[in-house]
Amino acid sequence: MKPEAFEKSTDAGTGRKMTIQGTVNKTFILLLLVLATFVYSWNQFLSNPDSAMPLILVGAIGGLLVALVTIFIPKVSPFTAPLYALLEGLFVGAVSAQYEVQYGGIVFQAVLLTIGVLLSLLLAYKSGFIKVTQNFRLGVVAATGAIFIVYLISFIGSFFGFQIPHLHEATPLGIAISVVIVIIAALNLVLDFDFIENASEKGVPKYYEWYGAFGLLVTLIWLYLEILRLLSKLRSR
């Protein structure tokens, strides 16, 4: 949503407005919810890998459906954002356990790198080193859309024995592709920061704190998974 769209969203009747601190608090709540189901799904996979597959499907499909509802109906985000966090924890926990079994220590590395990228870009944004211009926003959104289309084609093609060359391979080109995707995912964090800052300045309704936290969580999970994929490619060589 563009910041300009907030102009008429102010809930002047209640006086309860979105704040940056409130959004930060909601983000921590969502991260704790992710962690709770992450640990459960992780342990389920390690104890019985077959029993974790339903968790992956429920987390992935359920998370996608809840995310779509949240995106199109921000007003329900106080209810859907926590549900999304719980579902994604199931998915990410089992997937992470799979990587950890194959490449010991990779999950800890991916978590540290994700936190490092988050803090570095937050510092760069707050210091003015990175400015969100209209061209910057359009470029990141276009690149993100292109990645989504490629992944969608890859997913559909997997049912017909078709794979996009190098996308999931540990070749030099495959690694380069993963690096580019990680960069695009990271730049989406900057858009999230800008969204939260602009929304709070516009004085939008309080529920946008959950919406902003939801958007930030979506990007963080995507970034983490892409870093995990990149590290696995590097480790497999």
Side-chain angles (χ1 to χ4, degrees):
M1 179 180 291
K2 295 181 179 180
E4 292 80 1
F6 298 134
E7 294 283 3
K8 299 180 181 179
S9 300
T10 304
D11 187 1
T14 64
R16 290 173 57 80
K17 313 299 181 191
M18 174 184 179
T19 64
I20 293 178
Q21 185 58 53
T23 306
V24 171
N25 294 340
K26 302 299 190 299
T27 302
F28 276 115
I29 292 173
L30 295 183
L31 287 173
L32 289 175
L33 292 175
V34 170
L35 181 61
T37 49
F38 178 100
V39 172
Y40 171 76
S41 185
W42 172 286
N43 290 332
Q44 283 293 109
F45 179 86
L46 294 183
S47 62
N48 184 6
D50 292 334
S51 68
M53 187 54 63
L55 297 178
I56 293 177
L57 294 176
V58 169
I61 298 174
L64 176 61
L65 294 176
V66 173
L68 291 174
V69 171
T70 308
I71 291 170
F72 289 106
I73 314 176
K75 201 166 188 175
V76 301
S77 58
F79 308 101
T80 56
L83 179 57
Y84 172 81
L86 291 171
L87 289 168
E88 283 301 298
L90 293 176
F91 170 69
V92 176
V95 170
S96 298
Q98 288 179 321
Y99 278 102
E100 185 67 20
V101 169
Q102 192 170 1
Y103 309 102
I106 193 172
V107 169
F108 182 67
Q109 294 173 348
V111 170
L112 285 183
L113 284 172
T114 302
I115 294 174
V117 171
L118 170 66
L119 296 179
S120 298
L121 286 177
L122 179 58
L123 178 62
Y125 174 76
K126 295 301 292 183
S127 65
F129 182 76
I130 297 179
K131 296 185 182 298
V132 181
T133 62
Q134 187 64 18
N135 287 336
F136 178 90
R137 184 178 291 107
L138 289 174
V140 173
V141 170
T144 302
I147 292 170
F148 174 77
I149 292 173
V150 170
Y151 275 158
L152 182 61
I153 294 174
S154 176
F155 174 73
I156 296 174
S158 65
F159 292 101
F160 303 96
F162 168 75
Q163 288 188 348
I164 296 179
H166 302 289
L167 182 62
H168 304 293
E169 300 172 5
T171 62
L173 181 55
I175 292 173
I177 291 173
S178 283
V179 170
V180 171
I181 295 176
V182 166
I183 291 173
I184 299 302
L187 291 178
N188 271 270
L189 287 174
V190 179
L191 296 188
D192 292 327
F193 300 151
D194 184 67
F195 174 89
I196 293 169
E197 185 174 57
N198 278 284
S200 61
E201 289 177 354
K202 296 291 184 181
V204 300
K206 191 73 172 175
Y207 64 79
Y208 269 99
E209 291 179 352
W210 286 106
Y211 189 68
F214 158 77
L216 188 57
L217 181 65
V218 170
T219 304
L220 283 173
I221 290 176
W222 179 32
L223 176 62
Y224 164 76
L225 291 174
E226 293 299 345
I227 290 177
L228 200 58
R229 185 195 301 271
L230 173 60
L231 290 176
S232 70
K233 289 181 178 181
L234 294 172
R235 294 275 291 270
S236 66
R237 289 181 62 80

